[in-house]
Structure formats: C-alpha cells, structure tokens
Amino acid sequence: MTHEIKTSFLSNVVKEIHQFIEDKDWKGLKLQVNEFQPLEVVSIVAKLSADERIILFRLFTREQAKHVFENLSLPQQQEIIEGLAEYRHTLTNLLNDLDPDDRTAFFEELPGEVTQRLLPLLSPEEREIAQRLLGYPEDSIGRLMTPAYVAVKPYFTVNQTLEHIRRYGEDSETLNVIYVVNNGWKLLGDIRIREIILASPDQLISEFITKKFVALNPYDDQEVAIKEFSDYDRVALPVVNSEGLLLGIVTVDDVMDVTTEESTEDFHKFGGTESLDLSYTQTPLVELVKKRAGWLVILFIGEMFTASAMGYFEDRIAQAVVLALFVPLIISSGGNSGSQAASLIIRSLALGELKLKDWWYIMRKELQSGFLLGILLGTIGFIRIMIWQFGGLHDYGNYWFWIGMTVAVSLLFIVMLGTLSGSMIPVILKKCGLDPATASAPFVATLVDVTGLIIYFSVAIFFLTGKLL
C-alpha cells in the first residue's frame, strides 16, 4: 500500500468512525474496528481525538486493547490511562493484560505518584511481578525482563514437552526458545523449538542440553544486552541471578527499542543538544529551546575565545591582511577533522570494538591519520594559492610562496590536532564515567577553532617575520 493510498484509507476510516460516534452506533463501530489488524488500529487511533480514543478502548476486546496500547506513544498511553480512570474495570483489565516488560517500560516513564496509584489495580500476582521489575536499577536488564516464558524439566520427554507448551505457551513472550531448569529452577540450558518439533516423541529433553548457553545478569546495563544479542544473533536470552536461577527472559524486540533510544540519544548529544524525551513533533517549543540552549551558550562562550585569539593577533593581521583570507579555511579544516575522528571513536566505543585500554593505539593511529590528511589538505591549499597567483585570479605579492607555506604547514598541524582531540576526548569522557557522545561535533570544532588560530598565526610569524610581518 503506497503512502498516498494509506493516507486516503486512514482518512476514510477516521471519517466513518466519526460518523459512528456521532450516531452513537456502538455496535457498528465495534464491528468496524474488529475488521482491522492491531497495527492498523494504532494508525487509526493516532488520528482520533482524546475522547474518541477513550470510546474505542472501551469497545476493544481485551486482546485488542493490549496490542494497541503497547504500540502507542508514551503521551498517547498516558492519555488513555487518564481517560479510563473513571472506568476502573476497563483500566484494570488493560494493565493486567499488558506484557510485564511493556508495563514496566510504561510505569518507569510515569511520575512516581501516578505509578503508585496504578499498582493497586493489578492482581496480586501481576503486582508482585511489576514491583520486582521496577526494583531493578534504571536502564538495567532487569527492567527489560519478562517472566512470560516456557520452562521444562530435563526428564520430560519431547511428547510431554509439546503438551506442556500447548498448555502454558499461550502467555509466553516467545516460543522460539524453550528453557530447561532443574527442580530448584536453576537454568540448565535452552533449546530451539525446531529441535523439539523434529525430534522423536520419546526422546528426553536432557539429550538436547548443551553446557554452552548465554545468559544475562539483571543488574547489568541494557547496553550489555544489546551487545549479546548482536554477538549471538538470538531472538531471546535468559536472565539469571548470581546462583544461576532463571528469573526471566529478554526478547529481541525490547532490545531493538533500547537500541533505537540509545542511538537517538547519542545522535542528539553528538549534534550538540540534550536528548529529547519525546519526538520532535511532540516536544513543546519551550522545552525544545531549553534542550538546545545549554550547549549553544557553552559553545558561544567557547567561540568568544576565538574572538579573543583574533584580537591578540590583531596587529599581525593589520600588517598582513592577506592572512585573514585563510582563517575560515584553517579553522573549518581542524573542526571537520576533529568531528570525523570523534564520530568514528564514539561509534567504535559504543559497539565494543575499542576499549579504554586501547587509548595508545587510538592516539597513534589518529596522529598518523592526521599527519597524512594534513599533508593532503596542506598540499591542496598550497597548490590553490599557486594557481591563483599565476592564473591572475589573486595577487598575493612577492611573498606568495611563504604565504602558501604558512597555510600548508598550519593545515598539517591543525588537522593533526583536530584528529587527536576528536579521538581522545571521547576516551577521556568514558574514563571519567561520562557518555562519550557528549564529545559533540560542535564541542570538538569549537575547541579546535581556538587552538587552530593560535597555531595558524604562530606559523605565520615563523615564516613571514621579516617579510610581511
């Protein structure tokens, strides 16, 4: 379905729903909504007003309400909860039916007092699960964990296992992997469902167990889960405590959500702004300004040092105005090379390709890269001045060669400084326990701007004293 057709389809459906509500034809509305898949209903719900959404949720089946709610944005979810507050039965069913990991993700975004008002609506069993998951540190694997899985004993036969799956598998988050535990609930291994389906009915589960399996710790950071899923290409991974007892599982869809959030946050920081809590379109103007103002003020103050550096060399610039022509070229080259290095190192640190202990390797490699890149840009800069001089495009005077050398050598040192700064600042930040993404492109560029000017005019003094200066 093309974008145009989909937009037209949604518009027509929304109009029909408006009419059903206006006519108070609840039976017709319920039949209409039941024709669509959950994700289609999510798109429809997003186009409705707050009151109309509440009406739909009261007409949904419990299964529909669960699937649609899990796919709504956080503001829409909060809106639904507030709107259903007076319909206690509907709200209770919705909260109890949510998957534990999705419910935890929703609760942790709410103010504490709101969560405390909603927890009593859960059944004793679901409330115990919710409180246990919320008890883990923020951004830990425990917050992603769900107890909805299928576990079997090693003495089960394949036939008994399939019967067990039929009986208890409906509420499981995934049936792709079945977990094997002993009587004390210690994890012994995991088995792909494919192995069970293809096996002889009388085979024992113990025959499938291998000692090699990957498990997560509930207190580890969620980034650990991202790396494990990436390394082992699994759809689900078990979570065990220090004694090896199976606590729950984490599924790949939850990890993908975390990956998206982490990438978005890092992208915002690297661009020189605080991470947005909501999407760009849902963020109020005042909040958007607050998120961007902090870094802009810091960078503006940093650029004031650039102006100070220019002022310090004001007399030299007055003696050789031609030097001012190349200031934008010089500082932009340093900033660009620094931003390149920062983006490469930050991403490599995030993917685990580089560790803090690799700092000397990073420094050596970036100095070599900066040296070669600096020679390349310096050569281009010198050739550009030579072509302009002999091509009649600009007359740099009798000392054009030394001006060209000033630009070329300055570019060499400034690009080396840029690559060194861009690569080492993320490492230093990570060593200090800070997010390397804070080494934003504007931050690195501003730092190199100031030092780049000092290098440029220092090189100019060296080459041009007794000539233009």
Side-chain angles (χ1 to χ4, degrees):
M1 187 180 290
T2 65
H3 177 72
E4 292 78 9
I5 295 175
K6 185 176 181 180
T7 302
S8 176
F9 165 76
L10 286 176
S11 299
N12 291 334
V13 171
V14 169
K15 287 178 183 177
E16 291 176 6
I17 290 176
H18 288 327
Q19 192 60 51
F20 279 123
I21 293 175
E22 187 176 327
D23 297 339
K24 296 186 178 181
D25 184 0
W26 312 127
K27 184 176 180 180
L29 178 56
K30 190 169 185 176
L31 290 173
Q32 170 82 327
V33 173
N34 285 338
E35 293 179 4
F36 304 115
Q37 296 296 321
L39 289 180
E40 291 178 325
V41 178
V42 171
S43 299
I44 294 168
V45 167
K47 299 287 185 180
L48 300 175
S49 67
D51 291 339
E52 289 169 337
R53 289 172 187 161
I54 304 305
I55 291 172
L56 276 191
F57 262 82
R58 292 191 61 205
L59 296 175
F60 285 156
T61 63
R62 291 179 64 168
E63 191 67 19
Q64 269 185 319
K66 168 182 175 294
H67 285 301
V68 173
F69 187 86
E70 289 174 348
N71 286 285
L72 293 176
S73 66
L74 177 63
Q76 291 170 340
Q77 289 179 332
Q78 292 175 324
E79 186 183 84
I80 296 298
I81 294 298
E82 292 171 5
L84 291 176
E86 59 183 288
Y87 305 104
R88 188 181 180 87
H89 180 71
T90 303
L91 182 57
T92 299
N93 286 340
L94 176 60
L95 292 175
N96 279 285
D97 290 340
L98 289 175
D99 293 331
D101 51 339
D102 292 322
R103 184 173 55 219
T104 302
F106 172 61
F107 278 169
E108 70 182 357
E109 296 293 341
L110 297 176
E113 61 273 15
V114 177
T115 300
Q116 291 303 318
R117 286 205 308 268
L118 295 178
L119 281 173
L121 298 180
L122 300 175
S123 66
E125 180 184 354
E126 294 295 332
R127 188 184 314 132
E128 191 274 331
I129 292 172
Q131 290 173 329
R132 185 171 74 247
L133 296 183
L134 288 169
Y136 288 107
E138 188 176 356
D139 296 328
S140 68
I141 289 173
R143 290 288 185 99
L144 296 178
M145 185 172 65
T146 176
Y149 58 87
V150 175
V152 297
K153 301 298 173 58
Y155 53 78
F156 279 19
T157 64
V158 168
N159 205 31
Q160 288 175 315
T161 298
L162 291 173
E163 183 59 35
H164 185 80
I165 293 171
R166 293 187 193 100
R167 186 174 181 182
Y168 298 104
E170 184 178 355
D171 296 327
S172 176
E173 185 87 358
T174 178
L175 290 176
N176 291 315
V177 184
I178 307 300
Y179 299 92
V180 185
V181 296
N182 64 15
N183 290 331
W185 218 255
K186 183 175 182 178
L187 181 64
L188 303 178
D190 51 25
I191 305 172
R192 305 289 180 97
I193 190 68
R194 182 176 183 273
E195 297 178 69
I196 297 174
I197 293 173
L198 296 177
S200 170
D202 296 326
Q203 275 187 274
L204 293 176
I205 290 300
S206 58
E207 298 177 33
F208 300 94
I209 300 175
T210 61
K211 293 184 179 180
K212 294 182 179 179
F213 63 86
V214 183
L216 303 171
N217 184 295
Y219 291 97
D220 283 343
D221 192 273
Q222 292 174 0
E223 290 188 359
V224 174
I226 295 172
K227 186 177 186 306
E228 294 295 326
F229 272 90
S230 175
D231 289 346
Y232 294 98
D233 193 26
R234 302 296 294 270
V235 296
L237 284 175
V239 182
V240 300
N241 65 10
S242 58
E243 298 175 352
L245 301 183
L246 181 59
L247 303 176
I249 65 171
V250 174
T251 55
V252 69
D253 59 323
D254 294 317
V255 171
M256 287 176 64
D257 291 339
V258 174
T259 303
T260 301
E261 291 173 8
E262 293 281 348
S263 299
T264 302
E265 182 179 348
D266 289 348
F267 193 82
H268 286 161
K269 287 181 179 179
F270 192 70
T273 180
E274 293 181 44
S275 177
L276 300 181
D277 300 319
L278 303 174
S279 68
Y280 179 84
T281 56
Q282 295 171 331
T283 302
L285 178 60
V286 175
E287 184 69 16
L288 191 63
V289 171
K290 286 181 181 178
K291 293 288 186 181
R292 297 164 70 173
W295 265 111
L296 278 180
V297 170
I298 293 171
L299 296 173
F300 180 75
I301 293 173
E303 290 293 352
M304 291 172 113
F305 290 103
T306 304
S308 299
M310 291 283 287
Y312 181 80
F313 292 105
E314 183 178 3
D315 293 339
R316 301 293 184 178
I317 296 173
Q319 290 175 315
V321 179
V322 69
L323 293 176
L325 298 176
F326 300 101
V327 167
L329 171 72
I330 295 293
I331 62 176
S332 65
S333 297
N336 291 339
S337 61
S339 298
Q340 279 186 339
S343 62
L344 290 172
I345 301 305
I346 289 171
R347 189 57 181 164
S348 295
L349 288 171
L351 294 175
E353 297 171 352
L354 292 173
K355 307 292 184 184
L356 289 178
K357 64 181 181 181
D358 299 321
W359 68 271
W360 175 243
Y361 166 79
I362 297 170
M363 177 184 289
R364 189 172 68 249
K365 192 167 187 176
E366 285 305 311
L367 279 174
Q368 292 170 348
S369 298
F371 179 76
L372 295 175
L373 291 169
I375 288 178
L376 174 64
L377 295 185
T379 302
I380 294 173
F382 184 88
I383 292 173
R384 185 265 189 200
I385 291 173
M386 184 172 66
I387 292 174
W388 259 243
Q389 177 71 22
F390 290 101
L393 298 173
H394 190 94
D395 183 10
Y396 294 107
N398 296 330
Y399 299 108
W400 69 268
F401 176 82
W402 298 109
I403 294 172
M405 287 297 295
T406 298
V407 171
V409 174
S410 297
L411 282 170
L412 171 61
F413 286 116
I414 290 170
V415 171
M416 287 181 67
L417 173 68
T419 57
L420 182 63
S421 302
S423 60
M424 286 293 102
I425 290 175
V427 174
I428 294 170
L429 289 173
K430 190 172 180 67
K431 177 66 176 177
C432 296
L434 302 173
D435 188 348
T438 309
S440 64
F443 175 74
V444 173
T446 301
L447 177 65
V448 178
D449 283 355
V450 180
T451 52
L453 282 173
I454 295 173
I455 291 173
Y456 175 50
F457 286 111
S458 298
V459 172
I461 291 171
F462 177 81
F463 280 116
L464 298 176
T465 296
K467 301 176 181 68
L468 288 178
L469 301 177

